[in-house]
Amino acid sequence: MPYDIIIVGGSFAGLAAATQIARARRRVLVIDAGLPRNRFAEHSHGFLGQDGRAPAEILGDARRQLLAYPTAEIVDGLAEKAEATDSGLRIGIGSGEAFEASRLILATGVRDTLPDIPGLAEQWGKTVLHCPYCHGYEVAGGALGVLATGPMAIHQAQMIADWGDVTLFTNGVFVPNAEQLQALRTRNVVVEPASVIHVEGDSASGLLLRLDDGSTQKIKALFTAPRTCMVSPLAEQLGCEFVDGFFGPVIKVDERQQTTVQGVYAAGDAAREPHNVAFAVANGTWAGVAAHQSLIFG
């Protein structure tokens, strides 16, 4: 078997997993398409020792450090096909090459599906954000918005009130009941029933939201929780089971990151919520350790 373990996905979870395997002196291959989920963000925050650095810089360092281990390799390419073989697992990439290993870790990530509002996508990762722990401190103080994508926006608005004066834009998604309205008032959250129809602005001056009643609102940043979907078809091709997360399907794993398919592990955003760089690194580290130990103990 050419490799002990193949990891599909070379972002935070995948590289964290690979590092553990390389340090165990096992042959590990990372297949990376080079499209990390947080590529739209200019800076990463809340990650110990790396606060404020560009995500690409952190990943660049991590790749160089991984490749210093003689048993680690990285192939740049899109993994398109996965199948079980008599001896393990085979992964095919877009160039036509195929690689085999005894174990597989899927760190393939998810894709965000933003509300279809003109101007919103252009500000994603800048002043349209999803995680207050990742970006809240930098936009704190003053007017903030929460754009509802479902009833969970009530929880989001209550939490983000620790970072500023929050307006919850229900956007026609739901109507808060009396109990929910009281909970929002307790956190000084203002509820705006008019829908956002256009987003304007930039990272320097904040956002101008145009509403369907003709009014406008100026805010520093807008938080939203987009629906997510799998980036890669590999888990489905292999027959892995999925479970419903808060924002979309995630790969079902046990306490050791093992999927429902023997020898296949999953880590990072594809296998867990909430989504955060620090969580992805921790989750990927555990998947790497578990996959390595499975080579020894089965």
Side-chain angles (χ1 to χ4, degrees):
M1 187 64 60
Y3 298 99
D4 293 303
I5 300 173
I6 290 175
I7 300 170
V8 180
S11 189
F12 291 93
L15 293 177
T19 299
Q20 302 305 311
I21 297 160
R23 288 185 57 78
R25 305 195 303 172
R26 294 284 188 154
R27 290 202 66 195
V28 58
L29 172 68
V30 177
I31 301 173
D32 183 31
L35 296 171
R37 184 186 182 195
N38 68 349
R39 63 190 182 276
F40 303 102
E42 295 179 358
H43 303 96
S44 176
H45 296 284
F47 182 25
L48 189 65
Q50 302 293 332
D51 195 48
R53 293 190 68 199
E57 291 179 1
I58 301 173
L59 291 176
D61 284 349
R63 284 171 67 105
R64 287 187 290 274
Q65 291 169 5
L66 174 64
L67 291 175
Y69 293 94
T71 59
E73 296 179 45
I74 298 176
V75 168
D76 295 321
L78 179 64
E80 297 181 341
K81 186 175 181 180
E83 58 183 344
T85 67
D86 292 339
S87 57
L89 297 140
R90 180 184 294 120
I91 304 297
I93 66 174
S95 66
E97 293 179 276
F99 306 92
E100 294 190 16
S102 298
R103 301 289 188 271
L104 172 66
I105 298 176
L106 298 173
T108 46
V110 296
R111 179 180 295 112
D112 295 296
T113 303
L114 292 166
D116 187 15
I117 299 172
L120 189 73
E122 287 78 1
Q123 301 303 322
W124 180 236
K126 301 177 180 68
T127 48
V128 176
L129 309 164
H130 84 289
C131 173
Y133 296 103
C134 303
H135 306 290
Y137 188 87
E138 285 64 42
V139 297
L144 300 174
V146 171
L147 180 68
T149 57
M152 280 293 293
I154 291 174
H155 172 79
Q156 190 180 21
Q158 290 175 288
M159 182 173 63
I160 290 171
D162 266 9
W163 281 269
D165 303 319
V166 174
T167 297
L168 171 59
F169 298 89
T170 57
N171 226 43
V173 173
F174 70 99
V175 177
N177 60 34
E179 182 179 353
Q180 291 168 332
L181 287 171
Q182 180 54 45
L184 291 167
R185 280 193 291 268
T186 299
R187 295 290 288 156
N188 296 316
V189 174
V190 176
V191 177
E192 174 55 71
S195 294
V196 179
I197 59 172
H198 197 271
V199 177
E200 300 175 13
D202 57 46
S203 57
S205 61
L207 295 170
L208 180 69
L209 307 183
R210 298 191 181 278
L211 310 182
D212 64 358
D213 64 0
S215 64
T216 61
Q217 289 207 31
K218 183 71 178 294
I219 58 175
K220 293 181 69 175
L222 181 66
F223 288 85
T224 192
R227 296 293 297 172
T228 60
C229 63
M230 291 290 120
V231 172
S232 168
L234 301 189
E236 186 175 3
Q237 289 175 5
L238 290 166
C240 298
E241 291 183 21
F242 295 82
V243 294
D244 290 329
F246 288 123
F247 310 115
V250 294
I251 302 169
K252 182 178 181 180
V253 295
D254 65 12
E255 67 279 359
R256 294 183 65 81
Q257 302 303 127
Q258 165 87 45
T259 72
T260 54
V261 175
Q262 187 65 32
V264 180
Y265 295 74
D269 292 353
R272 64 155 291 126
E273 291 176 336
H275 302 145
N276 177 293
V277 166
F279 287 139
V281 170
N283 190 242
T285 297
W286 182 228
V289 169
H292 166 249
Q293 291 181 357
S294 76
L295 295 170
I296 304 167
F297 303 111

